[in-house]
Amino acid sequence: MGGKQDGDEAYGKPAKYDPSFRGPIRNRSCTDIICCVLFLLFILGYIVVGIVAWVYGDPRQVLYPRNSTGAYCGVGANKDKPYLLYFNIFSCILATNIIMVAENGLQCPTAQPVIQSLQQELCPGFLLPSTPALGRCLPLLNSTLPELPGISSNTSISQGISGVLDSLNARDITVKIFEDVAQSWYWILVALGVALVLSLLFILLLRLVAGPLVLVLILGVLGVLAYGIYHCWEEYRVLRDRGASITQLGITSNLSAYRNVQETWLAALIVLAVLEAILLLTLIFLRQRIRIAIALLKEASKAVGQMMSTLFYPLVTFVLLLISIVYWAMTALYLATSGQPQYVFWAPNASLPSCEKVQMNASCDPTAQPVNSSCPGLRCVFQSYSSTGLVQRSLFNLQIYGVLGLFWTLNWVLALGQCVLAGAFASFYWAFHKPQDIPAFPLSSAFIRTLRYHTGSLAFGALILTLVQIARVILEYIDSKLRGAQNPVARCIMCCFKCCLWCLEKFIKFLNRNAYIMIAIYGKNFCVSAKNAFMLLMRNIVRVFVLDKVTDLLLLFGKLLVVGGVGVLSFFFFTGRIQGLGRDFENPSLNYYWLPIMISILGAYVIASGFFSVFGMCVDTLFLCFLEDLERNDGSLDRPYYMPKSLLKILGKKNEAFPEDKKKKK
């Protein structure tokens, strides 16, 4: 008796009966108002950053090439001149710094009077067949290159051209990809439709086959582990007879060498045997909890079937996520291209004695008269954009603000989806007579209720998760910068930090998810909801573990079924092994048959993940409601259980009478 009281004190007291509780609270008030105000102010500041970026930024810098005077090709006065022609592409290639290419583009002289260009050997006396690559005219790889003075071989030139073309010219491949998509888009949509139907059928049929399917999957896992034990034993026996031991091998960095020693297979055998034993003991001693998990999966399938609109709510989440990502990307692009262009003196042969008097990289005016200098090829070229303005000086801080805004808004959108779905599915569980007592439009009601009362709570939980994710990003950045200079001890410490942050992020996601469920049901603030959810789960930790693993196994099988089925059908169709349906629906002629297959597989995975995420949220919500139901009610006339009869039967419980029976007695 004392032990039970200690457990209650350690993980909180069970929920008490509330005669007025009939599902998600309708008369609620706003929660976490301070965090709501901070979030709205942050969003307002995020919008201001976007406006500032739009005013000062110029994305044409990355969309259009510029000549030496800084004028855009294909824009304004140069509208009929969309391509940038380099006067001496070879000197540019041979002297190009790849870092400068990445940051500022190819900086070669492009504007020059003809006579002076010929005199200074900046305008070549030959022409090569070229092709446009991102608005730049670059020679074709199969062009016959002339002999150039001062260059013993054209090998370096060919390599330079090849490198530039490889990095810039994806035109042919891009055209073929667009052609394949244009030829196969109809069949890709058909494949995605198949994925949608398979996902829907899998969820809806779980009410009929959840039990046998879980049993088959568990037996399959047992069979795989048993085969693994047998294989490890055979390998161990053969190597033992040969006398291959790790003492003969010693310590080596060649990991594949450990496959040929008996200790490796013995260790693998022991690990698999332990896993097999744990799974068998789980089946023996936790079989009732597995039955409860199966019953909850069936009930979740019924709930989704009653509220089919919930399956398509991920589309709303996807649109909001897309808006957040696009807004951040455009803001970051405009911020990165803010500032006025700067021009400096540049010459291809700056080390010549005749160029010593010229101050290279000094500022200049590209619109002024040509420079009269004995330095060959001296030009005024574009270098970069100024960083002296207020916006430019604050550019790094604004970009950090944008990254924080991206993470916070993305996590808030995901939290909104979880809370809305939880509110809808909770209204299903707490309806005593289903479907008669299910409120009208439960999804839209939950959406409006969440936005109206709990924006601050969602922002609070999203902010906590955002801070952890930002810390992980910073740690990854530091690790990438110091990777070459680290010693083994430093790498071990860094790995431990990364592992701890990863575990912390997973825990916070788990806690937030269940906190949002409690918020959707009871309408309390984030901290109270998180505490109540955590205590409720800890009081039923074994049930939590069993349900989580059974659900994960089932949903993994569902994803493999949907994605694998669509992938196999797509492969057989797009490779011509399955013929089309007549003249109007022939197999498309493709350049890369793998492209529509990969698009179909990726789309099927996204669709299956969206559907199964809804189902997973439904299972988690019904599970918390089930635990609350057990603690609040006892099956008496005044406190009947809301759980389905299948769960009552498994638990050996029953309701003394239903409300209609009470009415008859009265």
Side-chain angles (χ1 to χ4, degrees):
M1 191 73 178
K4 184 176 180 181
Q5 290 177 354
D6 293 341
D8 290 344
E9 291 296 331
Y11 301 117
K13 297 181 180 179
K16 296 181 179 180
Y17 172 70
D18 182 3
S20 63
F21 180 74
R22 293 292 184 272
I25 303 297
R26 296 185 179 182
N27 297 325
R28 56 180 72 193
S29 58
C30 295
T31 56
D32 296 302
I33 299 177
I34 296 178
C35 197
C36 178
V37 173
L38 291 177
F39 181 67
L40 294 179
L41 290 176
F42 181 87
I43 294 298
L44 182 61
Y46 198 19
I47 295 174
V48 172
V49 171
I51 295 175
V52 170
W54 182 77
V55 171
Y56 290 95
D58 188 2
R60 293 181 301 174
Q61 300 172 26
V62 295
L63 299 178
Y64 302 98
R66 302 178 67 136
N67 62 15
S68 298
T69 64
Y72 292 106
C73 298
V75 179
N78 297 323
K79 188 176 183 179
D80 56 341
K81 301 175 182 178
Y83 303 123
L84 179 66
L85 175 63
Y86 297 106
F87 280 9
N88 195 340
I89 186 66
F90 302 117
S91 63
C92 172
I93 292 173
L94 295 176
T96 293
N97 184 325
I98 191 63
I99 298 178
M100 293 180 64
V101 171
E103 294 181 351
N104 304 319
L106 291 173
Q107 297 182 359
C108 301
T110 60
Q112 183 83 342
V114 177
I115 300 299
Q116 189 175 358
S117 298
L118 291 173
Q119 291 175 349
Q120 297 181 357
E121 297 182 354
L122 294 177
C123 184
F126 55 86
L127 295 176
L128 292 177
S130 61
T131 180
L134 296 180
R136 295 165 175 84
C137 297
L138 297 178
L140 293 172
L141 287 178
N142 56 0
S143 302
T144 302
L145 301 178
E147 294 294 332
L148 299 177
I151 301 178
S152 59
S153 173
N154 290 335
T155 303
S156 57
I157 297 176
S158 299
Q159 293 176 350
I161 295 175
S162 177
V164 174
L165 285 175
D166 288 342
S167 61
L168 294 179
N169 190 10
R171 177 177 177 273
D172 293 338
I173 297 178
T174 304
V175 169
K176 290 180 180 179
I177 289 176
F178 277 109
E179 289 177 352
D180 287 349
V181 174
Q183 289 286 336
S184 59
W185 69 270
Y186 178 83
W187 294 108
I188 292 176
L189 291 181
V190 172
L192 298 182
V194 172
L196 189 148
V197 173
L198 287 177
S199 302
L200 182 60
L201 288 177
F202 182 83
I203 291 176
L204 296 181
L205 291 178
L206 279 180
R207 69 184 71 179
L208 303 176
V209 299
L213 184 58
V214 170
L215 180 61
V216 169
L217 291 176
I218 293 177
L219 293 178
V221 173
L222 286 172
V224 171
L225 291 176
Y227 174 78
I229 293 173
Y230 168 77
H231 180 75
C232 291
W233 168 253
E234 289 295 322
E235 292 288 342
Y236 168 73
R237 184 177 58 82
V238 171
L239 293 173
R240 183 191 59 185
D241 295 340
R242 293 178 183 175
S245 175
I246 195 171
T247 56
Q248 300 174 353
L249 178 64
I251 300 176
T252 177
S253 59
N254 184 13
L255 299 180
S256 60
Y258 289 101
R259 295 177 55 186
N260 300 320
V261 296
Q262 56 178 314
E263 286 82 0
T264 300
W265 296 102
L266 179 61
L269 186 150
I270 294 173
V271 171
L272 293 179
V274 170
L275 292 176
E276 184 90 350
I278 292 175
L279 188 55
L280 285 173
L281 292 175
T282 301
L283 287 176
I284 295 173
F285 294 103
L286 300 180
R287 59 186 182 275
Q288 183 177 5
R289 289 178 171 82
I290 294 177
R291 293 176 61 196
I292 293 175
I294 293 173
L296 284 171
L297 291 172
K298 292 180 179 180
E299 193 69 10
S301 177
K302 294 178 183 178
V304 173
Q306 291 291 337
M307 295 180 286
M308 294 288 290
S309 59
T310 56
L311 288 174
F312 300 96
Y313 183 83
L315 292 176
V316 178
T317 301
F318 174 78
V319 171
L320 295 177
L321 292 176
L322 185 62
I323 292 174
S324 300
I325 294 173
V326 170
Y327 179 81
W328 168 80
M330 295 301 297
T331 301
L333 175 64
Y334 273 82
L335 283 175
T337 57
S338 62
Q340 296 298 320
Q342 292 181 323
Y343 301 89
V344 296
F345 286 115
W346 176 89
N349 300 309
S351 59
L352 293 177
S354 57
C355 298
E356 292 180 354
K357 296 182 179 180
V358 180
Q359 185 180 359
M360 296 297 173
N361 296 325
S363 300
C364 60
D365 184 4
T367 61
Q369 295 296 323
V371 178
N372 295 321
S373 175
S374 58
C375 181
L378 181 64
R379 300 306 310 155
C380 184
V381 299
F382 168 77
Q383 182 190 41
S384 62
Y385 288 83
S386 64
S387 58
T388 57
L390 177 61
V391 175
Q392 287 71 41
R393 290 196 302 269
S394 306
L395 184 61
F396 178 77
N397 296 331
L398 294 177
Q399 292 285 21
I400 293 297
Y401 191 96
V403 172
L404 180 60
L406 173 67
F407 278 91
W408 200 358
T409 52
L410 291 182
N411 288 323
W412 185 86
V413 169
L414 295 175
L416 175 66
Q418 293 174 354
C419 195
V420 169
L421 291 174
F425 292 127
S427 64
F428 170 86
Y429 184 92
W430 295 107
F432 198 87
H433 296 287
K434 304 175 179 63
Q436 296 89 342
D437 293 345
I438 299 176
F441 308 108
L443 184 63
S444 58
S445 299
F447 183 81
I448 296 173
R449 187 167 58 241
T450 302
L451 279 182
R452 180 179 178 182
Y453 296 109
H454 307 303
T455 296
S457 297
L458 302 184
F460 192 7
L463 178 60
I464 297 174
L465 182 58
T466 296
L467 295 178
V468 176
Q469 292 174 338
I470 293 293
R472 288 193 64 195
V473 171
I474 295 174
L475 202 62
E476 291 289 347
Y477 176 78
I478 295 174
D479 184 39
S480 64
K481 290 296 183 181
L482 302 179
R483 186 167 298 170
Q486 285 180 351
N487 55 37
V489 176
R491 286 198 299 269
C492 180
I493 295 175
M494 182 64 69
C495 183
C496 292
F497 276 122
K498 291 164 64 175
C499 181
C500 292
L501 284 179
W502 180 84
C503 294
L504 179 60
E505 181 182 356
K506 292 297 181 182
F507 174 75
I508 290 177
K509 284 183 177 180
F510 172 79
L511 187 62
N512 283 4
R513 183 183 180 91
N514 290 282
Y516 298 146
I517 296 175
M518 301 299 280
I519 290 172
I521 298 174
Y522 299 106
K524 297 182 180 179
N525 62 50
F526 177 82
C527 292
V528 173
S529 300
K531 175 186 175 182
N532 292 341
F534 181 75
M535 294 300 180
L536 179 63
L537 294 175
M538 290 302 297
R539 292 196 295 268
N540 301 271
I541 187 63
V542 178
R543 288 172 176 166
V544 172
F545 175 79
V546 173
L547 177 70
D548 183 64
K549 297 310 172 186
V550 171
T551 304
D552 288 345
L553 182 63
L554 197 61
L555 295 185
L556 175 62
F557 174 78
K559 288 183 180 180
L560 292 177
L561 179 66
V562 174
V563 176
V566 171
V568 170
L569 290 176
S570 301
F571 174 79
F572 279 99
F573 179 79
F574 289 115
T575 56
R577 303 186 186 187
I578 298 179
Q579 297 300 320
L581 305 176
R583 182 178 301 177
D584 296 333
F585 300 98
E586 296 180 352
N587 297 66
S589 178
L590 303 172
N591 298 298
Y592 310 108
Y593 70 87
W594 51 264
L595 179 66
I597 296 176
M598 295 303 298
I599 294 177
S600 300
I601 291 176
L602 180 61
Y605 177 79
V606 172
I607 291 174
S609 298
F611 274 69
F612 294 153
S613 67
V614 173
F615 183 76
M617 195 67 202
C618 181
V619 173
D620 291 344
T621 303
L622 297 185
F623 180 59
L624 282 184
C625 293
F626 164 72
L627 298 179
E628 286 274 323
D629 194 10
L630 280 177
E631 293 186 351
R632 285 179 174 274
N633 303 309
D634 56 8
S636 61
L637 292 176
D638 296 324
R639 299 166 59 183
Y641 291 114
Y642 283 78
M643 67 186 72
K645 294 181 179 179
S646 58
L647 282 172
L648 288 173
K649 184 177 180 181
I650 293 173
L651 295 172
K653 299 179 181 294
K654 64 179 181 178
N655 284 325
E656 293 184 7
F658 293 100
E660 58 266 22
D661 298 331
K662 294 168 64 178
K663 292 179 181 178
K664 291 179 182 179
K665 291 181 181 180
K666 291 181 180 180

